[in-house]
Amino acid sequence: MKAAVVSARTKFPGKRFTLISSLLALVLLCQPTLILVTHGQGRTQPIQRAAKKTAKMTADQRVAHVLSRLTFGARPGDFERVKTMGVEAFIAQQLDPDSFDAGPVIARLRRLPTLGMATPVIIEQYTPPKPAAAPSPTPDNSPAVAPKLVAQNAPASPNAGMPAMQNEMQMEAKKEESGRKPGTTGENTEAGRTAALPAAPKPPPKNPQMVVTELQRAKLLRAVYSERQLYEMMVDFWENHFNIFANKDDDRYLLTSYDRDTIRPFAMGRFRDLLGATAHSPAMLFYLDNWRSSVRRPYPATKDKPAGVDGGLNENYARELMELHTLGVDGGYTQQDVQEVARCFSGWTIQKPNEQGLFLYRPGLHDDGEKVVLGHKILPGGGIADGERVLDILATHPATARFIVTKLARRFISDEPPPPVIDRAAAVFLKTDGSIRETLRAILTSPEFFSPTAYRAKMRSPFEYVAAAMRALSAETDADRPVLDAIARMGQPVFGRITPDGYADRADQWLSSGAMVARFNFAGALAANRIRGTKIDVVQLLSGVDEAKKDTVAARFILLTVSGDVSVGTRSVLEKILRSEVPVNQTAPVSNPAANVSVGFDAKTTSQTSPAPYIAELVTLLIGSPEFQQR
């Protein structure tokens, strides 16, 4: 705890900021671990709210609840809008994503060119050039030539992933500074200034990390700005359920199509269609090594090589297909089933992963013998249909229905969802041929969803937390590396889960002290406009409110961030801020900028963009509070 408080003190300058930082660190680090207690059948509930629970949610709580569960977070005005239209109408609207205009968010995504590129084009354009071999020494053994040639063709540096526009902007700033230096030749003439400027730099070589970064940025931009919030939450859910690690070799090129062509078209359709799309996805086949799986093929001896066997089955995809994608670890399958399923998917491969990256079925690599999967006989000679038959069996299995519904109920209700809602939703899943939309409807309109024990019973993941903060404060963001790196420091790199199980959807996944400090740092940087590429407009947020009236300002931000509902502990810290004697318009002093910067954030901002210190403190506290971190 002491180390955490010291860390927090380095983020804000001035004695008053040190005091508030210590208080906020205590709120962040103590409350999340203390407010959660076992309640009922394993569900976690805030201590402060235990005595206030009633037989049902109030009308305002129902509104706040659906906004926190069906969206990444409420924006200014959303609470009033949903209250007017009605909770039931809002749920129905979000279950129909095609009813929304996607134009505004599409306009933001146009800045990310790789999102619309076919996989072969991405591979062609974003494969780094191979470094040229160093030339032989010159006859006079001069050391000056060869190193220069090698340097020009060296591999991209760690900063090569920086967007070209950012590099150009930095170079332009240097040019302007050089042009203003006294004594520069031709300083007072246009021709002289042009002659004095260095040549325009070449943009950094394209590389696959740029592709991954654009996909990460698109995911956050959609979460923050899309009107189709439930749809985006379901895309996030399925990409975590069918997890792929972005930086596994060629998956850096293949993941864009996975998001665009595999997950998004089926996120609220039929589960069987989604399952089939993932099974055919080159990204999935590469990640779980099925593209190398084939029947063993003997070859004869030659004069240079003895007889042997090529190929062999790889069981990785077959095992994860049943354990993680459909039946669940206790779904009733055996190791024999894993082997049989692997045989069924032999020959499902990729056409040149590092050149074309497209799905390909090779009959010559397929095991065409008879198989038995979960008691179902699959006749010989089926070819590619063997894998399709397995997908049919798994998609309609009762264990799959319960496994998928349990994960959905955990996402939308509580870490330990009530069994009755699982029973009912699983029946809907089976009755509707795996309709994701109707299964969701059964969960979101259930009595368990609106039970008082479900109110603020979920902990926001780092990605959800950042998106919610941006939405609550109407932030304008480019979703670039400073924000993405902040999410990673909280413990959830976007598309960065190495193992195929995806990130756990439970509170204890995110409650480490380091993750809490990272959240606090982000909240402070966002509140003070210290995140490069991201800004909040306090004047707009406080439209019609006198900044000199601290109580009124606090009430506005409490409404924007936590729907007006804060705990005793959070309110006590708020009162310390409001009782401060510091003038409202005084900006925070920066005695040592280098020591007062959170990793990845700007050390200081201009007076035009920095809110008054007490406002920044209020926003930091509220965004960092347990109430905001819960949903």
Side-chain angles (χ1 to χ4, degrees):
M1 175 64 69
K2 181 178 180 181
V5 173
V6 171
S7 174
R9 287 176 180 174
T10 65
K11 313 303 178 187
F12 292 90
K15 294 181 179 179
R16 181 165 172 270
F17 270 58
T18 299
L19 172 62
I20 297 300
S21 298
S22 300
L23 291 170
L24 295 179
L26 289 171
V27 169
L28 273 168
L29 296 178
C30 293
Q31 284 201 21
T33 57
L34 295 178
I35 64 172
L36 299 177
V37 295
T38 302
H39 180 79
Q41 299 181 15
R43 292 183 293 275
T44 54
Q45 299 300 327
I47 284 178
Q48 290 93 334
R49 302 184 182 281
K52 298 181 181 180
K53 292 296 182 185
T54 58
K56 61 180 182 179
M57 291 185 191
T58 66
D60 284 355
Q61 285 177 333
R62 285 169 60 90
V63 173
H65 185 62
V66 295
L67 281 169
S68 70
R69 298 300 174 88
L70 274 66
T71 78
F72 282 97
R75 302 164 302 182
D78 279 352
F79 185 92
E80 293 77 11
R81 179 174 61 86
V82 173
K83 191 171 183 178
T84 299
M85 70 185 298
V87 166
E88 291 76 14
F90 176 72
I91 294 174
Q93 183 186 59
Q94 286 296 322
L95 284 168
D96 183 18
D98 293 337
S99 65
F100 292 99
D101 177 16
V105 73
I106 289 175
R108 293 177 182 272
L109 298 178
R110 288 199 183 103
R111 306 168 191 171
L112 310 174
T114 62
L115 298 186
M117 291 183 180
T119 298
V121 177
I122 292 177
I123 295 173
E124 178 184 5
Q125 294 193 12
Y126 286 83
T127 298
K130 295 181 179 179
S136 302
T138 56
D140 61 358
N141 296 320
S142 172
V145 178
K148 182 177 180 181
L149 293 174
V150 174
Q152 290 174 345
N153 296 280
S157 68
N159 291 326
M162 183 182 296
M165 181 62 70
Q166 187 171 343
N167 276 353
E168 292 173 6
M169 292 172 62
Q170 292 177 344
M171 293 303 299
E172 288 298 327
K174 292 179 180 179
K175 290 178 186 178
E176 293 176 5
E177 183 179 352
S178 175
R180 289 193 297 268
K181 290 180 180 178
T184 302
T185 303
E187 182 178 3
N188 296 320
T189 66
E190 187 66 29
R193 283 195 298 273
T194 302
L197 295 176
K202 293 181 179 180
K206 292 181 178 180
N207 64 73
Q209 191 55 46
M210 293 178 176
V211 180
V212 175
T213 295
E214 288 198 359
L215 191 59
Q216 292 171 320
R217 292 178 64 189
K219 186 179 182 73
L220 184 57
L221 287 171
R222 286 178 170 123
V224 174
Y225 295 113
S226 176
E227 295 292 336
R228 308 193 306 174
Q229 282 287 291
L230 180 58
Y231 170 78
E232 292 301 334
M233 293 196 78
M234 288 307 300
V235 170
D236 180 59
F237 174 87
W238 292 123
E239 288 181 339
N240 192 60
H241 179 80
F242 296 104
N243 180 62
I244 291 177
F245 176 52
N247 285 320
K248 181 179 178 180
D249 302 325
D250 292 336
D251 266 322
R252 295 173 296 175
Y253 302 107
L254 304 174
L255 200 60
T256 298
S257 175
Y258 183 73
D259 171 79
R260 180 187 64 221
D261 307 321
T262 300
I263 300 296
R264 291 189 165 275
F266 308 104
M268 294 184 72
R270 288 175 65 245
F271 179 75
R272 171 61 179 86
D273 296 334
L274 176 60
L275 185 66
T278 61
H280 287 82
S281 167
M284 182 64 74
L285 294 173
F286 188 88
Y287 176 57
L288 292 179
D289 304 312
N290 199 84
W291 75 287
R292 296 182 181 275
S293 186
S294 69
V295 66
R296 292 170 64 85
R297 306 181 308 282
Y299 57 83
T302 65
K303 63 178 182 179
D304 299 322
K305 188 176 182 181
V309 177
D310 265 342
L313 295 178
N314 187 296
E315 298 176 1
N316 287 356
Y317 176 67
R319 179 172 289 104
E320 307 306 353
L321 173 64
M322 290 190 285
E323 178 179 329
L324 299 177
H325 297 173
T326 55
L327 304 175
V329 68
D330 299 320
Y333 66 90
T334 66
Q335 175 59 28
Q336 183 64 32
D337 289 318
V338 172
Q339 295 169 356
E340 295 291 88
V341 170
R343 292 176 61 206
C344 290
F345 284 100
S346 57
W348 290 47
T349 186
I350 306 172
Q351 177 72 24
K352 298 180 180 179
N354 59 354
E355 292 181 24
Q356 297 184 19
L358 304 176
F359 173 81
L360 178 68
Y361 171 70
R362 292 188 181 276
L365 305 183
H366 183 66
D367 183 337
D368 236 354
E370 181 180 281
K371 298 101 174 170
V372 178
V373 176
L374 296 172
H376 297 266
K377 183 180 290 187
I378 299 177
L379 298 177
I384 192 174
D386 290 353
E388 300 292 349
R389 176 68 175 130
V390 169
L391 298 177
D392 290 339
I393 293 169
L394 294 176
T396 56
H397 199 287
T400 296
R402 291 195 65 84
F403 182 64
I404 298 301
V405 163
T406 299
K407 292 191 69 172
L408 286 170
R410 182 176 297 123
R411 177 66 173 260
F412 289 100
I413 297 180
S414 65
D415 287 2
E416 298 294 338
V421 72
I422 295 175
D423 294 339
R424 293 194 304 272
V428 171
F429 182 95
L430 295 172
K431 181 180 179 180
T432 61
D433 194 22
S435 170
I436 298 169
R437 189 194 315 270
E438 294 310 312
T439 302
L440 270 177
R441 193 188 308 276
I443 293 172
L444 299 178
T445 58
S446 68
E448 291 83 0
F449 178 77
F450 286 106
S451 168
T453 58
Y455 184 63
R456 287 185 178 168
K458 291 292 294 181
M459 178 83 168
R460 281 185 166 123
S461 71
F463 181 83
E464 294 168 343
Y465 173 68
V466 168
M470 299 279 195
R471 287 174 63 81
L473 300 175
S474 291
E476 186 64 31
T477 183
D478 59 10
D480 213 334
R481 288 260 52 101
V483 179
L484 297 174
D485 292 343
I487 297 172
R489 286 192 294 274
M490 296 176 203
Q492 192 186 18
V494 181
F495 297 113
R497 178 72 170 183
I498 297 176
T499 53
D501 55 348
Y503 293 107
D505 191 14
R506 295 177 182 273
D508 54 10
Q509 172 81 14
W510 314 117
L511 287 178
S512 72
S513 59
M516 290 296 101
V517 170
R519 291 189 183 215
F520 170 74
N521 286 341
F522 170 79
L526 178 66
N529 274 334
R530 291 191 291 111
I531 303 177
R532 293 185 296 277
T534 299
K535 289 291 180 287
I536 62 172
D537 187 343
V538 172
V539 174
Q540 181 181 7
L541 292 172
L542 293 177
S543 177
V545 175
D546 185 354
E547 286 191 25
K549 297 180 179 178
K550 293 185 178 182
D551 288 340
T552 308
V553 170
R556 170 65 61 86
F557 280 113
I558 290 172
L559 182 63
L560 291 175
T561 55
V562 294
S563 301
D565 188 5
V566 293
S567 68
V568 174
T570 301
R571 190 171 295 279
S572 67
V573 181
L574 280 172
E575 290 171 354
K576 293 180 187 297
I577 294 174
L578 299 179
R579 289 198 302 266
S580 169
E581 299 296 331
V582 175
V584 167
N585 294 322
Q586 179 178 321
T587 58
V590 182
S591 57
N592 182 2
N596 291 305
V597 58
S598 304
V599 177
F601 302 135
D602 290 331
K604 59 181 179 178
T605 53
T606 63
S607 58
Q608 286 78 15
T609 61
S610 299
Y614 92 94
I615 293 179
E617 292 165 8
L618 279 173
V619 175
T620 300
L621 170 62
L622 290 167
I623 294 299
S625 68
E627 293 86 352
F628 187 83
Q629 295 190 45
Q630 296 161 356
R631 61 178 180 88

